[in-house]
Amino acid sequence: LFAQVISWFTFFSGVRTFSNSLEAVLTTMALCFWPSSVGKVCDANRPLALLLAGATVMMRPTGAILWAPLVLHELVSRPSRLRFAFLELFPIGLAGAG
């Protein structure tokens, strides 16, 4: 038991497990709030979904593989592209970068 408690691998793998779980929870929450026509579980709240998605991408940049197509589709399909880009994407991106 003592060897397990002081092992460096326990600290390495324990932190990784928690970060993977947190990323999965944040991604699930963001997908729940993402505006979609398929099955309504949560009320659509795109700014909250973008904020949660930004947090997952900040935790692990490979999360952008999931979010880039969704955001690009939303950007292309919106009639008010500039409003979406400058009033929702840009401020959340600045908050994540700063």
Side-chain angles (χ1 to χ4, degrees), residues 7-86:
S7 172
W8 65 270
F9 188 76
T10 302
F11 294 109
F12 172 75
S13 61
V15 172
R16 187 170 174 100
T17 302
F18 290 134
S19 68
N20 287 349
S21 299
L22 181 62
E23 181 189 10
V25 167
L26 291 176
T27 300
T28 304
M29 288 175 57
L31 286 173
C32 180
F33 290 116
W34 190 257
S36 171
S37 61
V38 180
K40 299 287 185 189
V41 177
C42 304
D43 292 331
N45 188 349
R46 189 176 39 244
L48 179 59
L50 287 171
L51 188 65
L52 293 169
T56 62
V57 171
M58 284 185 346
M59 286 179 58
R60 184 174 295 153
T62 56
I65 295 170
L66 171 71
W67 289 106
L70 290 172
V71 171
L72 288 175
H73 178 267
E74 188 74 15
L75 186 62
V76 170
S77 65
R78 301 277 307 165
S80 56
R81 293 181 185 120
L82 290 176
R83 182 174 184 265
F84 173 63
F86 287 111

